[in-house]
Amino acid sequence: MAEVIRALRSAEEKIRARWSLLGPLIFSSFILAALLADLISPYDPWKRFNPYQMPGWEHLLGTNDMGHDILSELIFGSRVSLAVGFSAAILSATLGTAVGLFAGYFRGMADEVLMGITDIFLMIPQIPLIIVLAAFLRPSFWLMALLMGLLWWTALARIVRSRTLQVREMGFVAGAKAIGFSDNHVIFSDVLPNTLYVIAPKFMLTVASAMIAEASISFLGLSDPSMKSWGTMISYAFSRGGFINGMWWWYLPPGLCITVFVLSLVMMAGILEERDIEPVKVD
Amino acid sequence: MLWGKTARYAIAFFLIISLNFAIPRAMPGDTLTNLMGEDVHLSEDAMLELKAKVGVDQPIHIQFLNYWRDLFHLDLGYSYHLHAPVSSLIRERIKWTMLLVAPSIIMGAFVGTLLGALAGWRRKEAKSRLQTTGFLLIYCTPPYFLSMLALYFLGFELGWFPLKGFYQSGTIGDIAHHLFLPVLIMTLFSASRNYMIMRGSVIQERQMLYASYARAKGLSSDQILFRHIFKNAALPIITLVALDFGFIFSGALFIEIVFSMHGMGNLIYDSLLCRDYPVLQGTFAVITIMVILANLLADWTYGLVDPRVRWQR
């Protein structure tokens, strides 16, 4: 009996381990598709065929109103969507980490001021602000990424700060200070490495929300018409009649791509996050 | 403590609204156009007259003071495109948006925290895993795309729900029929966010000593969850719902566009098409004010509910 239970347990663990591979697997296949777009895409996304074709052997996902091949649009569009997501997240992670580290490490006045600024940024309705700014400026994906990066560092700053407050009280930090290392040295070589594990999952969630926001803002027609992203694809399908006429092959694939890719990011973030709360068990 | 926070909100309000003042003046292009909107064509004389009326020929600090004075008189400018004061345009639309947002946020908070708590407590069970997967999928989908799917399948293919608008005949039943699908999507959207937070928070709380103590005392599993853990895990939700308000509200704007509802979202969508800047700025100001009020309200409620905060005052 005990044997059976043990066998069942290890089977369950194996299944769990497989599930946890799903996130990285989806993630890397999307990245690969974006990198190899020139090789794997069946057509040039701007080449025109007969419009409104249903999915078929010629065009696996059909064509849109301009006669562009949707599968090719999807593959090339992943480049823009991913680039916006990642550049926004890299910028906001850098800002958030810097603010959190300095506020948590120096405390006192620096902490008060930096956290005050963070609280103010938290109150900004971010998407409406990006909409207003994008309406005034020439639409561009880089601008969108820049604005998101500048607005979305607050959550990470708070997390990094509270982790820094813990780390700075630990022995090795006191040791490094006692030896006479400069504050900068201590922050970057002792404190920062110990905050990385709270940064990593939050970074992925930021990529995820930046991609959802990109799709939303592009949906309003505020993106660069000379480039294609998943968001612009849905936007055109909606504004040029694909949605009303039930052409599911036009708007469904880009939407599903966003959902699936975001899901892979959230799953990976979840695995990273759960690692540090897993060990203790009550029941 | 509470007054300190209120002061911070006041500063945030001042700075964000000032930013709103600065945007049209700092952006490239003609300031007058930036203040009036793109497709306003006037004669030379009318232009000069307007310039004096809008006040761009005055020094910047006077403009700034006038801007605040107008704001406190609920004057958010004039839409030259729609030929109406922005504040009355927004007032007309916002009640419809609130009809969509308010029930969704409240139901989303209840459904999300309750199911999230149960899922965190019994997370090994197949049922709660399935539920978590469902909410995770909703969490990962742009709300407007979810609306498009629901509208297509439930409205278009099955014909269960009307395809657009807030009402047709205007009776309460009719409005409810129109509102059902968008409110359902909004509720799921806001519930999914609370669900994830609550689930994680219960998973963490269950490892605390007081949970073990309650078990040792002989309480049943449900009693531990609802008497002890739920309270501790749910408190932060009040703050988080408020912080999330801006995001949820933005989500509603997009859902409105998909369902062609005559609320703030479509007002923004329409004014984007013709670059009607006064309306865009007015809506941004109003949304900012609502976000700050929501947070203020959350802090006060928190103070009422949590004795630790109450005593700190």
Side-chain angles (χ1 to χ4, degrees), chain B residues 16-27 60 64 67 281:
Chain B
I16 301 171
I17 298 293
S18 300
L19 176 72
N20 202 25
F21 167 82
I23 287 171
R25 290 164 176 86
M27 287 292 139
I60 199 87
F64 187 64
Y67 170 79
Q281 290 213 281

Side-chain angles (χ1 to χ4, degrees), chain B residues 108-123 128 131-132 135 191-192 194-203 225 230 233 237:
Chain B
F110 276 107
V111 172
T113 44
L114 192 66
L115 293 181
L118 285 170
W121 190 239
R122 305 172 186 156
R123 69 175 165 145
S128 59
Q131 211 175 50
T132 305
F135 275 110
S192 74
N194 298 324
Y195 181 93
M196 292 302 156
I197 297 164
M198 192 65 186
R199 180 175 171 271
S201 156
V202 166
I203 289 175
L225 176 61
F230 192 80
I237 289 276

Side-chain angles (χ1 to χ4, degrees), chain A residues 18-246:
Chain A
R18 279 214 192 124
W19 269 107
S20 67
L21 277 181
L22 191 64
L25 201 71
I26 300 172
F27 178 80
S28 39
S29 39
F30 271 97
I31 299 280
L32 217 60
L35 290 176
L36 302 178
D38 296 302
L39 291 177
I40 57 171
S41 163
Y43 304 100
D44 175 349
W46 297 97
K47 196 176 172 199
R48 297 178 74 162
F49 301 92
N50 280 337
Y52 306 121
Q53 285 186 57
M54 288 270 281
W57 287 116
E58 284 276 307
H59 300 281
L60 286 178
L61 291 173
T63 58
N64 65 9
D65 62 329
M66 305 289 286
H68 296 148
D69 179 64
I70 287 175
L71 180 62
S72 311
E73 277 194 308
L74 209 57
I75 294 172
F76 274 96
S78 71
R79 285 190 169 171
V80 177
S81 295
L82 293 179
V84 172
F86 276 95
S87 30
I90 290 170
L91 179 58
S92 79
T94 315
L95 280 172
T97 309
V99 170
L101 279 177
F102 284 97
Y105 185 82
F106 291 111
R107 298 201 293 192
M109 240 352 239
D111 191 18
E112 285 284 321
V113 172
L114 288 174
M115 285 301 114
I117 296 174
T118 311
D119 281 352
I120 290 168
F121 266 83
L122 272 172
M123 289 300 114
I124 300 179
Q126 295 152 342
I127 295 196
L129 179 60
I130 296 180
I131 292 174
V132 170
L133 286 171
F136 278 109
L137 297 163
R138 232 160 24 117
S140 132
F141 284 106
W142 297 118
L143 176 80
M144 217 191 273
L146 179 73
L147 290 175
M148 288 182 212
L150 290 176
L151 289 172
W152 280 348
W153 51 271
T154 48
L156 191 68
R158 285 184 152 190
I159 297 171
V160 171
R161 172 181 171 269
S162 59
R163 178 66 189 156
T164 306
L165 285 176
Q166 288 172 351
V167 174
R168 78 189 293 281
E169 303 303 330
M170 289 178 185
F172 61 91
V173 173
K177 273 197 215 163
I179 298 171
F181 282 126
S182 69
D183 283 331
N184 276 338
H185 185 272
V186 176
I187 290 177
F188 288 109
S189 51
D190 295 312
V191 182
L192 179 61
N194 284 291
T195 54
L196 281 181
Y197 83 97
V198 296
I199 298 174
K202 197 66 206 169
F203 175 79
M204 289 178 194
L205 294 179
T206 312
V207 178
S209 47
M211 288 181 64
I212 292 191
E214 180 273 318
S216 308
I217 293 161
S218 298
F219 182 68
L220 297 177
L222 286 173
S223 59
D224 181 352
S226 72
M227 284 162 99
K228 285 177 177 177
S229 74
W230 293 336
T232 51
M233 288 175 73
I234 310 179
S235 160
Y236 286 143
F238 186 77
S239 63
R240 294 195 199 149
F243 177 64
I244 296 175
N245 295 315

Side-chain angles (χ1 to χ4, degrees), chain B residues 40-72:
Chain B
V40 182
H41 304 289
L42 293 165
S43 65
E44 203 65 26
D45 287 350
M47 211 60 159
L48 281 175
E49 201 178 305
L50 255 177
K51 220 170 194 166
K53 202 176 144 205
V54 178
V56 270
D57 47 359
Q58 284 170 330
I60 199 87
H61 64 275
I62 304 283
Q63 290 183 39
F64 187 64
L65 289 177
N66 285 343
Y67 170 79
W68 277 98
R69 188 200 58 207
D70 289 346
L71 189 75
F72 282 113

Side-chain angles (χ1 to χ4, degrees), chain A residues 12 16 112 115-116 119-120 122-129 131-137 139 152 158 205 209 212 215-217 219-222 231 234-235 237-239 243-248 251-252 254-256 258-259 262-263 266-267 274 276-278 280-283, chain B residues 8-9 11-12 15-16 19-20 23-24 27-28 34-35 121 123-124 129 136-137 139-145 147-149 151-153 156 199-200 203-204 206-208 211-212 215 243 246-247 250 253-254 257-258 268-269 272-273 275 277 280-281 284 287-288 291-292 295:
Chain A
E12 198 201 329
R16 283 196 95 189
E112 285 284 321
M115 285 301 114
D119 281 352
I120 290 168
L122 272 172
M123 289 300 114
I124 300 179
Q126 295 152 342
I127 295 196
L129 179 60
I131 292 174
V132 170
L133 286 171
F136 278 109
L137 297 163
W152 280 348
R158 285 184 152 190
L205 294 179
S209 47
I212 292 191
S216 308
I217 293 161
F219 182 68
L220 297 177
L222 286 173
I234 310 179
S235 160
F238 186 77
S239 63
F243 177 64
I244 296 175
N245 295 315
M247 298 173 186
W248 50 268
Y251 65 86
L252 215 55
L256 291 180
I258 295 171
T259 305
V262 166
L263 186 68
V266 174
M267 279 165 81
E274 246 167 64
D276 55 284
I277 51 170
E278 194 70 32
V280 202
K281 273 179 186 161
V282 176
D283 54 351
Chain B
R8 270 194 186 174
Y9 289 138
I11 297 172
L15 288 177
I16 301 171
L19 176 72
N20 202 25
I23 287 171
M27 287 292 139
N34 285 353
L35 283 170
W121 190 239
R123 69 175 165 145
K124 295 269 154 68
R129 278 193 194 164
L136 196 63
L137 279 173
Y139 182 84
C140 293
T141 311
Y144 72 87
F145 181 63
S147 315
M148 284 169 75
L149 292 181
L151 189 61
Y152 183 73
F153 287 112
F156 217 73
R199 180 175 171 271
I203 289 175
Q204 260 178 340
R206 63 185 288 164
Q207 297 158 11
M208 298 285 174
S212 313
R215 181 168 297 260
L243 277 180
F247 189 80
S250 314
L253 303 179
F254 291 96
I257 295 170
V258 173
I268 293 177
Y269 193 51
L272 271 177
L273 292 178
R275 295 290 189 266
Y277 299 127
L280 286 175
Q281 290 213 281
F284 178 68
I287 295 173
T288 303
V291 168
I292 290 176
N295 281 279

